[in-house]
Amino acid sequence: MSDERGVDATDARILLALAADPRATIVALAEQLGLSRNTVQARVARLEQGGALDSFERRITPKTLGHPLTAFVTARVHQHRLAEVSEALAGIDEVVEVFGLSGETDLLIRVVATDVEALYGIAGQILAIPGIERTTTALAMRELVPHRLTPLLRRAAAGG
């Protein structure tokens, strides 16, 4: 089924169909793709178990929850306190993603906020975490390219 990159062309076709219609049934997917129901069901189960399908939570926009502002906070961290810092960041509800980086900055923290005053408070909470040396906050003005994987799925579905 899967190659070393994670999915083969058939998996990619299934994922493209699910991206177009996330509520599609296994039977509908099988009919649309010209595959057997058992094949589709087994592959979807393997994709789910293998972590190829992310949580439904990623489809919810922070704006609908009253958090229209998005900002990116970069942070320098005392390396021996990275686990402690990560745990503290996970305890801040408005921190929606944290990435470890190479280079000058150690962390990229995506936060959401109700307004600029709330963002100021969140940035202060982050800076107050023991182990954080310094932070820089950049407000996202507009999303120019939304999260997408369809071009990569199309390439994988074509066998490339």
Side-chain angles (χ1 to χ4, degrees):
M1 176 197 92
S2 296
D3 63 16
E4 288 156 312
R5 292 178 304 158
V7 299
D8 63 15
T10 301
D11 294 334
R13 289 178 52 224
I14 292 168
L15 291 171
L16 276 169
L18 283 170
D21 183 5
R23 294 186 180 113
T25 65
I26 296 295
V27 172
L29 290 171
E31 287 175 9
Q32 177 185 344
L33 300 171
L35 299 169
S36 75
R37 181 192 59 77
N38 287 342
T39 297
V40 173
Q41 188 165 5
R43 284 176 176 261
V44 168
R46 278 188 240 139
L47 288 165
E48 286 174 333
Q49 291 168 356
L53 298 174
D54 213 338
S55 71
F56 179 80
E57 185 178 18
R58 285 195 60 91
R59 296 185 59 202
I60 302 166
T61 61
K63 185 177 181 178
T64 62
L65 301 174
H67 291 72
L69 296 182
T70 296
F72 295 92
V73 179
T74 57
R76 291 191 63 187
V77 178
H78 292 285
Q79 293 301 303
H80 67 281
R81 299 188 85 171
L82 186 58
E84 185 182 336
V85 168
S86 297
E87 189 176 320
L89 288 168
I92 300 172
D93 293 345
E94 294 84 1
V95 170
V96 295
E97 288 181 300
V98 179
F99 295 93
L101 303 177
S102 62
E104 285 282 316
T105 304
D106 299 309
L107 300 176
L108 175 64
I109 307 159
R110 181 175 169 219
V111 301
V112 296
T114 56
D115 55 36
V116 292
E117 283 300 314
L119 177 58
Y120 184 80
I122 296 162
Q125 280 182 277
I126 293 170
L127 186 55
I129 294 171
I132 298 265
E133 291 178 20
R134 124 183 239 136
T135 64
T136 303
T137 302
L139 181 63
M141 301 300 286
R142 184 181 342 164
E143 183 179 58
L144 299 174
V145 178
H147 180 82
R148 67 197 182 112
L149 293 175
T150 301
L152 294 174
L153 285 171
R154 284 189 182 126
R155 184 187 310 160

